[in-house]
Amino acid sequence: MQKKLLSLLVTAALASTAAHAVVTDAMIENDANSTGDVLSWGIGQEGQRYSPLKQINASTIGKLVPVWSFSFGGEKQRGQESQPVIHNGKMFVTASYSRIFALDAKTGAKLWKYEHRLPDGIMPCCDVINRGAALYDNLVIFATLDAQLVALNQDSGEVVWKEKIDDYAAGYSASAAPLIANGLLLTGVSGGEFGVVGRVEARNPKTGQLVWVRPVVEGHMGKKYDKDGKESDNGVSGTPGKTWPGDLWKTGGAATWLGGTFNKKTGLAYFGTGNPAPWNSHLRKGDNLFSTSTVAIDVKTGQIVWHYQNTPNDGWDYDGVNEFITYEDGGNVLGGKADRNGFFYVNDAKTGKLVNAFPFVKKITWATGIDLKTGRPNFDPANRPGDPTGSADGKKGNVVFSAPSFLGGKNQMPMAYSPDTKLFYVPANEWGMEIWNEPVTYKKGAAYLGSGFTIKTLSDGPIGALRAIDPKTGKIVWEAPNNAPLWGGVLTTGGNLVFWGTPEGYLQAADAKTGKIVWKFQTGSGVVAPPVTWQDKGEQYIAVASGWGGAVPLWGGDVAKKVSFLEQGGSVWVFKLMK
Ligand code: CA
Ligand code: CA
């Protein structure tokens, strides 16, 4: 009798383990509320990076100590921009050079690793980074620098499927974490500096099979696929020839390199798009849709429902890829975006209508403001880099000093939104650049800029600042300055805390209402990744990857010199309260 009961209990326990082991659509939709796991990039499809957990708060944080640290090993250090995902007691964290590790979330013990074999000719623009993986069913899925997607079994690390997104020799690469929405795996592409064609692709996450493809450069045909993989047309994006001269749309850039967010109420996926190619704006008179925009796509049909362009006819490499984070405001669903061009935008998430726009950095030269009626920027024509065809030798246009620099008022580091304080927490940077235009023609696999540049500091003071921003008033409620440019993402919690990392190596926390820094810990290398939090058996954990790198040391000009003393690294740290 007892034996039978035991066997029943074991069966029940196994069944519950098995049911718990599989990541379902319902679990992903509920990710922001479920505190025992982190299933998606952004801690929920909306990307708010908010957790209701409050065991760690201003009164307890003095006891926050490291539990374990894990080294990504080898000689492959470089920038670590990855956000870990946590499920079923396991942490899945990607690392530089298209690697992924599965770790025991409690102890840091290594369960398995997968190192993607990269060809010699990859062309990532901004370091050999990766931003994280997606979880679906029993799979963990991530994108690689040679523009592939790899799905691995969560338990064994075995490759279940692998699909090529596009040709790395043409400049395509991929580094964003995939987004799961409505049972589909949504991904973008990197390569805006090589004249690729930006797009969003939807796949069956279990098999990797394409469901639809939506190009985000006006004029390109969308595609859809039936169950057998048979391709058919799915409508042209926009009106061909309307916002691009000649054939320039064919190599128009608008790379969707930071991935997307999703709102269940609107059914729309929001992808930001990068610079139009080439950088020299005089070659492509017009708005150059849908570059430097937020593009809202109906996940069910693969059609663009609305777009809002942050920088029409961009001439400064102001990629508009920044995350569009949706939030509730009364009965409305709004979305906030801190754009690389220095302005913070609030749009209606259903219609795209501009609700508010204001600067979140102190110096902006390219526009004097955003017209809330028309939704368009008020350009300052004197501050657009000149046309080389009008110069004396036809080789170099007028040099202008522009702020922000092309590294942006904000770059890849994702901000957070707190429904408690109703504030956005934005990692911002103050810097400028000298920029000029040159003649250029498209050549497959070659840089397609038609511009030269040097990044400059604006002062001897701090470059970075974490800013708490009220999206209603446009006011900076508080700021925490940082000497080096901030390059890591943000986490905010029900414990009234904001966590973020610095290139100087600190993971730190501030009071979400006042900005007072209440805790910091030196991780041994620069933090350029977003922290996460979860709980297990009543204990709250915090994790962050550490490893200095990314675009600043490579492209930062005078700023790179200023931060060249920072050391590289490659590890992930986990913290909890000391008992
Ligand atoms: Ca969760
Ligand atoms: Ca770009």
Side-chain angles (χ1 to χ4, degrees):
M1 182 65 186
Q2 264 184 347
K3 224 177 189 176
K4 199 172 179 186
L5 184 64
L6 187 67
S7 123
L8 273 174
L9 282 172
V10 168
T11 313
L14 279 175
S16 99
T17 311
H20 186 64
V22 171
V23 177
T24 63
D25 290 297
M27 285 162 70
I28 291 168
E29 282 179 9
N30 192 41
D31 187 24
N33 305 315
S34 58
T35 50
D37 56 25
V38 177
L39 302 176
S40 42
W41 194 82
I43 318 183
Q45 294 165 309
E46 289 183 86
Q48 289 187 351
R49 297 187 180 277
Y50 169 84
S51 166
L53 288 173
K54 52 187 175 195
Q55 186 179 72
I56 300 169
N57 55 52
S59 358
T60 61
I61 199 161
K63 289 183 176 175
L64 190 63
V65 293
V67 189
W68 57 262
S69 172
F70 176 85
S71 169
F72 298 143
E75 294 161 29
K76 296 171 175 177
Q77 308 252 316
R78 304 287 287 268
Q80 312 298 344
E81 295 183 357
S82 177
Q83 182 220 290
V85 282
I86 320 284
H87 167 61
N88 212 16
K90 297 187 183 79
M91 172 187 288
F92 303 92
V93 59
T94 61
S96 52
Y97 292 95
S98 303
R99 295 174 292 163
I100 183 165
F101 295 85
L103 309 171
D104 183 312
K106 268 222 162 79
T107 65
K110 186 168 94 176
L111 305 173
W112 54 260
K113 80 167 159 180
Y114 169 81
E115 297 195 57
H116 187 70
R117 199 168 156 187
L118 290 167
D120 287 336
I122 53 165
M123 289 180 273
C125 81
C126 304
D127 205 1
V128 286
I129 57 90
N130 183 279
R131 300 203 172 87
L135 298 174
Y136 194 80
D137 200 63
N138 65 341
L139 301 176
V140 53
I141 307 162
F142 81 117
T144 65
L145 292 164
D146 60 344
Q148 295 195 35
L149 285 164
V150 184
L152 305 125
N153 181 298
Q154 286 172 13
D155 296 319
S156 65
E158 278 171 283
V159 174
V160 175
W161 60 259
K162 199 189 276 192
E163 291 288 332
K164 180 177 158 180
I165 299 170
D166 213 312
D167 183 7
Y168 69 83
Y172 284 92
S173 62
S175 51
L179 164 72
I180 303 278
N182 262 356
L184 294 174
L185 179 85
L186 304 184
T187 55
V189 294
S190 307
E193 274 59 55
F194 299 94
V196 303
V197 176
R199 61 181 188 258
V200 178
E201 296 189 343
R203 292 170 190 272
N204 178 336
K206 284 193 181 181
T207 63
Q209 196 179 44
L210 278 171
V211 176
W212 52 255
V213 175
R214 175 51 52 194
V216 294
V217 178
E218 183 164 46
H220 289 268
M221 178 61 81
K223 299 287 177 191
K224 57 186 172 185
Y225 302 82
D226 68 14
K227 281 204 177 88
D228 304 318
K230 194 168 163 281
E231 183 183 280
S232 56
D233 287 349
N234 194 25
V236 179
S237 300
T239 309
K242 200 172 168 193
T243 61
W244 292 84
D247 280 344
L248 266 92
W249 60 281
K250 288 182 179 167
T251 50
T256 43
W257 59 261
L258 197 54
T261 56
F262 175 72
N263 184 287
K264 198 169 62 175
K265 276 193 184 163
T266 64
L268 301 174
Y270 306 94
F271 276 72
T273 61
N275 62 285
W279 284 17
N280 179 349
S281 63
H282 300 279
L283 292 170
R284 41 173 175 74
K285 295 256 178 341
D287 282 355
N288 317 134
L289 294 178
F290 301 95
S291 66
T292 51
S293 301
T294 302
V295 176
I297 299 174
D298 184 333
V299 174
K300 290 200 170 120
T301 63
Q303 303 292 345
I304 296 172
V305 172
W306 61 259
H307 70 274
Y308 175 79
Q309 192 171 40
N310 306 95
T311 317
N313 191 227
D314 164 54
W316 304 265
D317 188 36
Y318 288 150
D319 288 22
V321 294
N322 298 100
E323 65 287 356
F324 183 82
I325 299 179
T326 56
Y327 63 102
E328 304 275 333
D329 178 74
N332 298 319
V333 187
L334 302 178
K337 173 176 171 179
D339 198 275
R340 198 148 126 175
N341 70 18
F343 289 99
F344 191 104
Y345 298 82
V346 179
N347 295 80
D348 184 300
K350 260 187 214 148
T351 64
K353 188 181 179 304
L354 186 66
V355 175
N356 203 359
F358 50 85
F360 68 94
V361 293
K362 284 165 187 166
K363 184 162 179 154
I364 298 178
T365 58
W366 67 278
T368 55
I370 310 295
D371 185 326
L372 291 180
K373 277 210 183 95
T374 63
R376 292 183 72 87
N378 300 315
F379 286 103
D380 185 341
N383 287 338
R384 179 179 289 271
D387 186 351
T389 60
S391 68
D393 60 0
K395 285 186 181 151
K396 187 173 177 180
N398 207 19
V399 181
V400 298
F401 186 87
S402 298
S405 78
F406 70 84
L407 290 174
K410 184 167 101 50
N411 201 288
Q412 57 84 29
M413 52 288 195
M415 62 184 183
Y417 174 77
S418 167
D420 300 335
T421 63
K422 301 196 172 6
L423 300 174
F424 280 93
Y425 299 96
V426 183
N429 291 316
E430 303 280 351
W431 43 17
M433 64 179 167
E434 281 178 356
I435 182 168
W436 61 91
N437 289 322
E438 299 162 350
V440 68
T441 49
Y442 176 78
K443 191 169 158 265
K444 185 187 162 184
Y448 185 44
L449 302 186
S451 287
F453 52 81
T454 311
I455 303 264
K456 300 276 185 190
T457 54
L458 295 179
S459 72
D460 290 335
I463 297 168
L466 188 81
R467 295 196 167 126
I469 289 174
D470 184 334
K472 265 207 161 90
T473 63
K475 291 240 164 68
I476 295 171
V477 176
W478 58 257
E479 68 172 352
N482 195 74
N483 265 329
L486 290 178
W487 209 255
V490 185
L491 164 72
T492 182
T493 71
N496 187 37
L497 293 173
V498 182
F499 289 86
W500 75 104
T502 71
E504 290 90 339
Y506 289 101
L507 176 66
Q508 55 194 26
D511 181 303
K513 287 189 189 119
T514 66
K516 188 186 165 216
I517 292 179
V518 291
W519 178 85
K520 63 181 183 174
F521 178 85
Q522 174 55 250
T523 66
S525 180
V527 178
V528 292
V532 293
T533 189
W534 72 100
Q535 67 170 349
D536 189 359
K537 299 205 169 58
E539 289 185 295
Q540 185 183 355
Y541 292 80
I542 305 271
V544 74
S546 169
W548 171 236
V552 178
L554 295 173
W555 300 108
D558 289 355
V559 172
K561 285 178 215 155
K562 217 180 151 177
V563 295
S564 61
F565 71 97
L566 298 170
E567 298 293 349
Q568 296 186 345
S571 61
V572 59
W573 285 88
V574 172
F575 306 84
K576 69 171 183 178
L577 296 179
M578 197 167 41
K579 274 185 187 157

